[in-house]
Amino acid sequence: MFKPAASLTVDNASDVLAAGLQAIAAGQSSIDLSALINVDSSAVATVLAWQRAARHQGRTLELGVLPANLQSLADLYGASALLDAPTSASDRHPTSSH
């Protein structure tokens, strides 16, 4: 599974984008964003580009729970629904109620 390092900002977005696109092209369908600590708007754009690439190949990209800072940026830019990621661990594995 592809897992970017702690930073995804304008300084390294091109390299991280390319590495993620390579992983998707190789058939990976999930990206682990849990290590991200430093993000900016480039991170949101990068994740959206990864999702477009996966959809272009007819697949859905699993992101897991977004780090709070990335979720906050996605909310700020109105892109949360586009990221299509759970907002908490409980969203990922919903429990059934009887």
Side-chain angles (χ1 to χ4, degrees):
M1 173 186 318
F2 178 66
K3 184 175 183 175
S7 182
L8 180 45
T9 65
V10 69
D11 294 330
N12 67 339
S14 292
D15 292 337
V16 177
L17 171 64
L21 290 174
Q22 257 187 331
I24 293 164
Q28 291 189 32
S29 60
S30 61
I31 294 179
D32 181 354
L33 302 173
S34 64
L36 287 178
I37 296 171
N38 300 313
V39 297
D40 64 16
S41 59
S42 300
V44 176
T46 298
V47 173
L48 289 171
W50 289 335
Q51 287 185 316
R52 277 192 307 273
R55 285 189 184 119
H56 184 70
Q57 295 179 10
R59 295 194 319 263
T60 300
L61 186 63
E62 176 68 36
L63 298 172
V65 177
L66 299 179
N69 53 357
L70 182 55
Q71 182 65 57
S72 179
L73 281 175
D75 291 344
L76 177 68
Y77 298 128
S80 292
L82 297 174
L83 294 180
D84 196 29
T87 56
S88 69
S90 63
D91 288 345
R92 185 185 314 165
H93 301 291
T95 58
S96 61
S97 299
H98 297 276

